[in-house]
Amino acid sequence: MLLDHLERRGLADNTIAIFMTDNGTAGGADVDQQGHVTDDGFNAGMRGVKCSPYEGGHRVPCFIRWPAGGLGGSAEHARDLDALTASIDVMPTLLDLCQVPVPHGRSFHGTSLVPALRGGPQPQLNERIVVTDSQRNARPVKWKDSAAMRDTWRLINGTALYNVAVDPEQRRDVSGQHPDLVVELRAGYERWWDLVTSRADERVPIPIQPEGPTDLNAHDWRNDAGDAPWHQGMIRDGQTSRGHWELDVVRAGRYRVELRRWPPDTAAGLADAPPAVAWRRDAVDPTDADWYEGGRVTRFDRAVLLLDDDRHEQRLDTDMSAAVFEVDLSVGPLLLQADFNGDSRGTMGAYYVRIAPVV
């Protein structure tokens, strides 16, 4: 549809279009305890599905099309790039294609793929070590769910070594036959780990906009469990997890803070149940079908707002769409936690919070 739209607008030839997918198949295959695909499903002969460190958990297609630039659009300009590439290469590649100079002092972890896309050699692609990490922890764990990759070699979790060129299902661990390569790949992972964890203990605050509303949602929660609701099925079901937001108050003043169960633009009340999403009913796993029915009704009797150690609380009525507080905020970092209490299922974090200056 996108390419059709570009064609209708006369933009298809001189637009760089990139097609990629999410990391590995998420629901297209069933796997056994070792991550090997069973008879039910397809994953191109690879081991693992999404979130697995094995090839089937992170290998994805990538197509780049720019007819005016000699990339795709005809058989003459079509070519395959077999080298190991990664998402870190996208930005330097686009800048190179568009001839945008990189500012002095700016560097990238990836590299431009333009020489290879133009049909030239780029041997360093298969000489470098690329790491993928699939863990979902509040604090990263070294070696967990990791793959250190060079050319066709894959070192999984720092121990098992596979050559996907001859063993795409990653069934034969050959680490004992290539101890030097294991050492090299482990050293590459160590360099990557030092790079990505150098600021792991720092906060990454969301700035509170002084001119207008700042909308927060549960997907940006920080918590040790790492169980923030990440899609609307969990929101509808009323998942009873909790977390906090790391914020940065840019300008001191008085602010209005709204705590909501449902997105602000729905105007749904705290005790409402939005209608079912009919178009998804036949497209989901039957065990998840209730996520797309009407939302779960929750009955809260009070809301609690924590601003660092400053606690605010108010009683709730069933017809309220939001719990509203007015608070004074000082410039600087702030931890905000918002909870609804009193429902039979227990305490639930407010999924949506809107912060706006009082004018």
Side-chain angles (χ1 to χ4, degrees), residues 23-25 43 46-50 54-59 170:
N23 47 317
T25 183
N43 201 12
M46 297 181 291
R47 181 177 179 179
V49 292
K50 183 177 179 179
Y54 297 102
E55 199 78 351
H58 56 80
R59 185 170 181 170
Q170 292 173 277

Side-chain angles (χ1 to χ4, degrees), residues 62-119:
C62 177
F63 299 92
I64 302 178
R65 182 184 187 276
W66 183 26
L71 301 179
S74 68
E76 177 186 359
H77 292 150
R79 61 177 56 88
D80 291 330
L81 179 57
D82 295 328
L84 177 63
T85 60
S87 57
I88 54 177
D89 300 324
V90 173
M91 177 62 78
T93 298
L94 287 175
L95 293 176
D96 198 358
L97 287 173
C98 298
Q99 299 182 2
V100 176
V102 178
H104 179 71
R106 173 73 68 178
S107 62
F108 298 96
H109 302 153
T111 186
S112 170
L113 304 177
V114 170
L117 294 175
R118 301 291 191 203

Side-chain angles (χ1 to χ4, degrees), residues 179-260:
D180 292 343
L181 181 55
V182 171
V183 170
E184 292 178 23
L185 291 173
R186 285 181 63 90
Y189 177 92
E190 291 279 6
R191 292 190 294 271
W192 173 85
W193 178 262
D194 290 343
L195 174 69
V196 300
T197 61
S198 61
R199 302 177 63 184
D201 293 330
E202 295 182 19
R203 293 183 179 180
V204 186
I206 300 170
I208 300 301
Q209 302 300 322
E211 293 83 14
T214 300
D215 286 319
L216 309 173
N217 63 68
H219 206 171
D220 294 321
W221 276 348
R222 298 297 303 271
N223 60 22
D224 289 336
D227 62 349
W230 54 271
H231 68 69
Q232 286 300 314
M234 295 175 176
I235 300 295
R236 286 174 170 269
D237 191 51
Q239 178 175 308
T240 55
S241 53
R242 305 161 66 196
H244 65 267
W245 289 276
E246 297 175 348
L247 307 176
D248 178 28
V249 181
V250 179
R251 187 173 67 198
R254 191 160 184 82
Y255 288 82
R256 174 186 171 97
V257 183
E258 301 176 0
L259 281 54
R260 296 179 181 271

Side-chain angles (χ1 to χ4, degrees), residues 22-45:
D22 201 351
N23 47 317
T25 183
D30 291 334
V31 296
D32 59 23
Q33 291 184 338
Q34 287 73 44
H36 297 296
V37 177
T38 63
D39 293 335
D40 186 11
F42 173 79
N43 201 12

